[in-house]
Every structure is written in C-alpha cells, then in structure tokens.
Amino acid sequence: MLTIIVASTNPAKITAVTDAFKAAFPQQLLTTTGVNATSGVRDQPLTSEETLLGANNRVAHCRERYPDADYIVGLEAGLDDNFTFAWMVIEHQGRKSTARSASLPLPPLALEKIAQGMELGEVMDEMFDQQNIKQKGGAIAMLTHHLLSRSSVYQQALILALIPFLHPELY
C-alpha cells in the first residue's frame, strides 16, 4: 500500500494526485490524504520562483509531519508573466522531482485585478459569476469552456514529475 500525502486540502489537487498515481502505478493499492500545509509564500505567488518555493515548502512541511509516507506531493499555482500555471514537487525516499503544468494565458482584466491584490480564484469567481472555482475546475475550466480542468492539467504534470520514480535507473 502506497501512502501519499498531498500538501493541500483542495479537492481539485487531491483528485489530480490520486488520478496520476493510479495511472502511474496501476497495480498498487494506494491511499491519498490531503492535509493543510503552509506554503510560506504569498497566497497568490507572482513569479515562477516564488511558486516553486511554495510547492517545496509544502513538501518540507508535510515530510516533517508524515515521515513514514511513501510520497509527499506539493502543488503550487502561481503566475509567470501573463500566464498562470502550477509547479508539482514530488518527494520519495529523500529524492525530489519537479514538473510544471501547462501555462494558461490570462485575460488583461484578470491580470489587472491580480496586480491590485486579488487571488486568481477570486477574480475568476467574479468574472464568471461562480463560487470557489479554484476548488473545482479552476480558471482553466472557465477559460476553455470546460475542455480542460485544473485537475486534468495538473494530472499530466504530476505524471511527468513521476518519471524519475518510474525509471529510477535513468535518474
């Protein structure tokens, strides 16, 4: 049984992690638990570097609390110029692997509101008359007419971050 700790209680992130691990390890039984973990960065990271730091901080925070977990997964969404994306950090037996999700171009009005201090989720809620979209399909779902979701895009990046654990002899 693989124990996976997700450094978030966001259902979209937990679903993405669960689905990615099930796809990568189809013969394994696994348990995925989402926990509250501090990122140590702004609620809305504004650079790639800050976003990666947040994901790494979440992993470190959880490893201290869950030393026996097989995998710790930190996901942090943020901005990079006019795009939103997320860093995935997976730690297993002291080794880390990272991958970055696809980048979503944001509308100018959203960027303006973020520059004024709003979080992207709040902006999307306002723009699309939604409530708590960040824990559902996210900005990605709203801007793609639900062709993609936050979970689906994160799942792809998580599978990429799992590559070194699927092929440890190569890494």
Side-chain angles (χ1 to χ4, degrees):
M1 172 78 74
L2 290 179
T3 57
I4 302 151
I5 299 295
V6 182
S8 174
T9 57
N10 183 317
K13 292 180 179 182
I14 295 167
T15 297
V17 171
T18 301
D19 291 348
F21 273 81
K22 282 182 179 177
F25 302 104
Q27 305 304 318
Q28 286 280 340
L29 293 176
L30 56 95
T31 180
T32 308
T33 306
V35 299
N36 190 17
T38 55
S39 69
V41 300
R42 290 179 274 206
D43 289 339
Q44 180 62 74
L46 298 177
T47 66
S48 177
E49 294 79 12
E50 183 181 12
T51 306
L52 180 58
L53 177 61
N56 275 307
N57 287 346
R58 289 180 190 276
V59 168
H61 179 256
C62 286
R63 182 48 78 192
E64 286 179 20
R65 289 174 52 200
Y66 302 95
D68 296 329
D70 293 305
Y71 290 89
I72 305 286
V73 183
L75 304 88
E76 187 75 22
L79 292 163
D80 190 3
D81 196 29
N82 296 333
F83 299 88
T84 185
F85 75 101
W87 276 109
M88 314 292 137
V89 176
I90 302 175
E91 188 269 339
H92 172 64
Q93 297 179 342
R95 294 183 58 212
K96 280 187 188 175
S97 178
T98 60
R100 186 178 154 144
S101 75
S103 297
L104 172 70
L106 291 173
L109 179 60
L111 292 166
E112 188 178 303
K113 290 181 178 269
I114 291 167
Q116 294 169 1
M118 288 180 75
E119 284 186 59
L120 178 58
E122 297 168 325
V123 173
M124 290 294 114
D125 285 348
E126 187 178 286
M127 288 178 79
F128 290 95
D129 194 27
Q130 296 288 310
Q131 223 174 2
N132 203 16
I133 194 63
K134 72 180 186 178
Q135 292 196 353
K136 300 173 188 167
I140 292 168
M142 301 313 299
L143 293 170
T144 64
H145 295 291
H146 298 277
L147 295 172
L148 299 172
S149 70
R150 191 175 196 190
S151 287
S152 70
V153 171
Y154 287 5
Q155 181 183 350
Q156 291 177 345
L158 287 159
I159 289 171
L160 296 174
L162 281 167
I163 290 172
F165 305 118
L166 296 172
H167 298 280
E169 72 283 0
L170 300 176
Y171 293 86

